[in-house]
Amino acid sequence: MTIPAFSISRLPRILFGTGQLAEMPKLARSYGRKALLVTGVRSFRASSRWIWLTERLTEQGLSLEHMAVSDEPTPQLVDDAVAAFHGRRIDLVVAIGGGSVLDAAKAIAGLLPHGNSVMDHLEGVGRNIPYTGPATPFIAVPTTAGTGSEATKNAVLSVRGEHGFKKSFRHDCLVPEYAIVDPDLLDTCPPDLIAADGMDAFTQLLESYVSARANPMTDALAKSGMEAFRDGFFAALQGGDGEQARAGRGAIAYASLMSGITLAQAGLGSVHGLAAPLGAFYPIPHGLACGTLLAEATAVNIRALRERVPEHPALKKYAGIAELLTGHGFKTQMEACNALVEHLDDWTERLALKRLGDFGVESAHVPRIVANARGTSMQTNPVTLTDGEIGEILIARI
């Protein structure tokens, strides 16, 4: 077998496993004497781990600054933080939280040495000034399992409303120095957050697996992530301290990490293409948008591939994932692909995911959403969808 040529961009150094948070204070001290801690507003700061961590960091001789992120980060939040902390000789930025916290901290770390606005560099809506670094060293510690932001070079920022947007500040310099992925940090996540974030991670794995830029290495990582997700997701949803729940949290933490690596290397697809304008125009949580669209988007992709490029390798991949998820063999590729869509539909129903209409999306809004959906993610979808096909995905979930 001939292995096709491919390239892999920069990745963080990764510490994965139960108890790995304990390694962070010593690592942090190796970067200097002053750290900016970026967290969410509630969960982690209300836990005993927050007291433990700040005490250990202080024992290492670190002086600490702190800021909290309460929602999806905006350019204004990033600019305000940069204005507040630029010049304070911050040696290290540490983010402990969900994807929003990690994305905010990533952008702040990138701009702290320079003191300028993120709008200088935000793709598609900014001033289009090339970013060249350097960034302040950055350690990412996810407390949810969904975005995989700990493994990527892009900080997603958004402005909600009629003229809203969801765009990335993106550069290799923004990749974290370390990603510390400790499944124990998921034990305070409520089931609805695990469900939405988990579906985001699975969507990223599936979309990167069938992406136009997929390669043998990302395929292997995406497949292992989907296997872990299959085995752990519903156990993690049960919560508690039992062995199955703990194993489930470990599995989805791994799946999320793999999804961040594969999306960074291979790109995504139509679900994330649509999630960007949906998240900008409506108060729809990103993971929920991905989860509610995934089955329909997969069905539309499969149909378009059958009609226009029936020999496309993505069809074989979709069929293989049907076997992976269901544990069944299928007589034909078409039967397997249909079973995959049915399986994803079943997940949507079991999770009782809200529909787009619950957030104010109406049929009359579809053309505007479609017009704003052809960003970077849509460009790596395995097949180019028509406006009508993209609209179908939305209509089915309103």
Side-chain angles (χ1 to χ4, degrees), residues 62-315:
L62 280 159
S63 172
L64 306 178
E65 300 274 7
H66 176 248
M67 66 168 286
V69 177
S70 61
D71 198 358
E72 293 192 7
T74 64
Q76 189 64 55
L77 178 143
V78 171
D79 284 356
D80 288 348
V82 171
F85 296 106
H86 175 62
R88 293 199 195 178
R89 299 188 179 184
I90 301 293
D91 298 310
L92 172 71
V93 176
V94 179
I96 311 166
S100 293
V101 171
L102 270 56
D103 282 356
K106 193 181 299 183
I108 292 163
L111 296 171
L112 272 180
H114 314 285
N116 61 309
S117 171
V118 73
M119 294 303 295
D120 288 342
H121 312 298
L122 200 58
E123 62 185 22
V125 294
R127 299 180 183 93
N128 203 32
I129 299 172
Y131 177 81
T132 57
T136 303
F138 171 48
I139 294 176
V141 186
T143 60
T144 61
T147 68
S149 182
E150 67 273 12
T152 75
K153 65 180 180 181
N154 51 304
V156 181
L157 307 179
S158 58
V159 171
R160 283 199 182 118
E162 184 179 353
H163 302 292
F165 59 79
K166 195 166 191 174
K167 300 291 184 180
S168 288
F169 171 28
R170 191 189 315 255
H171 195 273
D172 281 348
C173 289
L174 304 184
V175 175
E177 291 285 314
Y178 278 89
I180 300 176
V181 183
D182 187 335
D184 282 353
L185 297 179
L186 303 180
D187 61 10
T188 59
C189 283
D192 60 337
L193 186 60
I194 288 178
D197 286 350
M199 288 304 293
D200 184 17
F202 183 84
T203 301
Q204 290 171 172
L205 289 163
L206 182 58
E207 288 197 315
S208 60
Y209 187 60
V210 299
S211 164
R213 289 200 291 114
N215 64 59
M217 181 172 168
T218 60
D219 282 355
L221 296 178
K223 191 171 181 181
S224 74
M226 285 186 278
E227 288 173 345
F229 185 90
R230 173 200 64 194
D231 296 340
F233 180 53
F234 286 96
L237 277 175
Q238 300 305 310
D241 294 323
E243 183 177 344
Q244 281 192 325
R246 291 196 301 273
R249 289 193 289 269
I252 62 171
Y254 173 81
S256 178
L257 174 62
M258 292 302 103
S259 80
I261 294 172
T262 59
L263 80 85
Q265 308 299 327
L268 294 166
S270 58
V271 174
H272 279 81
L274 282 166
L278 285 169
F281 300 152
Y282 308 91
I284 303 178
H286 177 74
L288 194 148
C290 292
T292 198
L293 293 174
L294 180 58
E296 190 63 30
T298 302
V300 169
N301 272 354
I302 288 170
R303 191 188 69 211
L305 287 164
R306 284 174 179 166
E307 291 175 352
R308 300 201 280 277
V309 274
E311 300 304 316
H312 198 289
L315 285 171

Side-chain angles (χ1 to χ4, degrees), residues 21-37 50-66 88-96 136-137 139 180:
L21 181 65
E23 302 298 319
M24 198 261 277
K26 187 176 180 180
L27 283 176
R29 179 62 182 85
S30 70
Y31 289 97
R33 291 190 172 276
K34 192 166 189 178
L36 170 61
L37 302 185
W50 169 250
I51 297 171
W52 175 89
L53 180 63
T54 53
E55 288 178 348
R56 298 295 86 73
L57 289 167
T58 302
E59 287 172 2
Q60 288 289 333
L62 280 159
S63 172
L64 306 178
E65 300 274 7
H66 176 248
R88 293 199 195 178
R89 299 188 179 184
I90 301 293
D91 298 310
L92 172 71
V93 176
V94 179
I96 311 166
T136 303
I139 294 176
I180 300 176

